[in-house]
Amino acid sequence: MKDQIEQLKRAKNAVILAHYYAPAEVQEIADFVGDSFYLAKIAKQSKADIIVFCGVSFMGESAKILNPDKKVLMPDLVADCPMAHMVARGAIDEMRAKYNDLAVVCYINSTAELKCQSDVCVTSSNAVKIVKALPNKNIFFIPDRNLGRFVAEQVPEKNIILNDGCCPIHAAITAQQVKAEKDKHPDAIVLSHPECDASVLALSDYIGSTAEIISFAKNSVANEFIVCTEDGVNYKLLSENPNKCFYYPKPHPCCADMKLNTLAAVLSVLEKEDKEVTVNEDVRRKALLPLEKMLELAK
Ligand code: 13P
Ligand code: SF4
């Protein structure tokens, strides 16, 4: 399958992008692997005719919004992020009516429709920097309450209004599970994604995006880590640090949607070009503005 994928990729001038939560064998054949921010930048710069995005729908959608003339394919169009939908209908309008200087800051893990109603997008690796750079005092942060609260702590000068959405995978990690790992491995450093609950972040030595966690582990002198994010990161962590040990809360955090990006699905979509991401042109134009603003402010 890997050879066939390689041949088709070359013949069709296709590029494969994979998130760190995609299955290991897909990360292995991908041209670019990274966190949400890196992949959005790569998608924007790509010279390929076809982008195969091994992630979840908001990622494929963002790639299409940034590249309307390219064919964006996903190995499985069912792969979705439940959090991307977690904003109540009318909540944004209600908040705009309440505060006249409001900025709606939208985590990239959101539908294109939510992006259309937002002022700027952020990812976990640039949210603090972007919120700090905004002139607005009042910020409505959607959809993730956990990333929103983490940003609010780093930017106390702003009034950050939280929305009650969350990632079910990260929110399921408990402080008790982390403590159980810490009891077994007392010297381990706790690395967490900001989508985790406050009680987990309080036990953490380092908080960052998937790429930041991977880079921290590589540069650290420590040898043992408790990793509080989806276990797909283990592929990169182990390949870069074969002599270090990585432990996960039990049960292992696993995003079933990300795991739909199998090697067989990648091969099939490259052969048939049948799972194409489409975005209504009016929606695309509106959703492009907050995405471009993010790319600009994060520079
Ligand atoms: P990052 O890769 O930007 O840290 O995002 C994590 C995530 O949950 C993507 O779905
Ligand atoms: Fe969405 Fe969570 Fe899966 Fe990331 S890990 S895609 S935030 S459900």
Side-chain angles (χ1 to χ4, degrees):
M1 274 198 279
K2 287 178 182 167
D3 290 344
Q4 282 174 278
I5 289 172
E6 198 53 48
Q7 278 169 17
L8 279 167
K9 222 174 60 179
R10 256 187 261 135
K12 297 189 175 192
N13 187 27
V15 68
I16 301 180
L17 273 54
H19 188 265
Y20 286 125
Y21 297 162
E25 61 275 21
V26 167
Q27 293 189 45
E28 212 182 335
I29 53 99
D31 300 292
F32 300 95
V33 184
D35 69 357
S36 309
F37 183 48
Y38 172 77
L39 293 175
K41 281 190 295 186
I42 292 291
K44 176 145 168 97
Q45 293 159 9
S46 175
K47 298 268 181 290
D49 296 317
I50 297 178
I51 297 175
V52 178
F53 212 123
C54 305
V56 288
S57 23
F58 75 82
M59 297 180 175
E61 229 172 39
S62 298
K64 183 69 188 175
I65 292 166
L66 292 163
N67 290 286
D69 300 330
K70 290 201 169 81
K71 195 176 241 187
V72 179
L73 303 172
M74 288 187 65
D76 194 328
L77 289 171
V78 168
D80 195 7
C81 169
M83 178 167 67
H85 305 264
M86 289 186 195
V87 180
R89 194 177 289 274
I92 296 177
D93 288 344
E94 236 173 74
M95 221 47 88
R96 287 207 193 271
K98 207 163 160 188
Y99 300 94
N100 53 20
D101 78 321
L102 191 80
V104 178
V105 174
C106 185
Y107 191 19
I108 198 166
N109 298 39
S110 53
T111 60
E113 283 72 18
L114 286 172
K115 289 184 177 78
C116 284
Q117 302 170 63
S118 303
D119 297 296
V120 63
C121 285
V122 295
T123 73
S124 52
S125 66
N126 61 33
V128 170
K129 181 177 181 179
I130 289 179
V131 168
K132 267 189 186 159
L134 293 173
N136 317 59
K137 165 93 177 156
N138 295 301
I139 310 280
F140 186 29
F141 194 99
I142 59 168
D144 188 14
R145 63 168 186 256
N146 288 318
L147 179 62
R149 190 203 52 252
F150 173 73
V151 173
E153 284 165 8
Q154 316 294 310
V155 195
E157 64 273 23
K158 306 264 176 185
N159 175 35
I160 299 186
I161 304 143
L162 302 179
N163 168 78
D164 198 17
C166 68
C167 161
I169 317 304
H170 287 86
I173 302 173
T174 66
Q176 218 176 353
Q177 292 168 0
V178 179
K179 281 182 192 153
E181 291 308 306
K182 195 79 188 162
D183 285 346
K184 284 189 266 173
H185 314 286
D187 295 333
I189 304 273
V190 181
L191 310 176
S192 297
H193 196 279
E195 286 177 15
C196 292
D197 186 74
S199 59
V200 169
L201 298 189
L203 298 171
S204 305
D205 300 295
Y206 179 74
I207 300 164
S209 77
T210 50
E212 289 169 333
I213 286 175
I214 289 164
S215 143
F216 185 95
K218 191 177 178 181
N219 296 323
S220 169
V221 290
N223 284 316
E224 292 184 293
F225 303 88
I226 296 164
V227 184
C228 300
T229 192
E230 212 271 357
D231 67 0
V233 293
N234 205 47
Y235 171 70
K236 191 75 174 172
L237 285 171
L238 270 188
S239 51
E240 284 190 342
N241 310 281
N243 299 320
K244 295 185 180 180
C245 297
F246 300 97
Y247 311 108
Y248 292 80
K250 311 272 175 320
H252 270 214
C254 177
C255 177
D257 285 272
M258 285 285 188
K259 304 307 183 218
L260 291 172
N261 294 289
T262 61
L263 215 49
V266 173
L267 176 56
S268 168
V269 81
L270 263 174
E271 274 168 351
K272 299 184 197 146
E273 297 181 34
D274 53 346
K275 292 178 180 147
E276 186 170 356
V277 178
T278 55
V279 183
N280 164 286
E281 184 53 19
D282 188 42
V283 170
R284 191 195 70 78
R285 278 208 209 131
K286 288 187 190 140
L288 179 64
L289 302 176
L291 275 172
E292 283 196 324
K293 191 160 180 190
M294 170 184 81
L295 294 171
E296 185 54 38
L297 289 177
K299 264 182 197 162

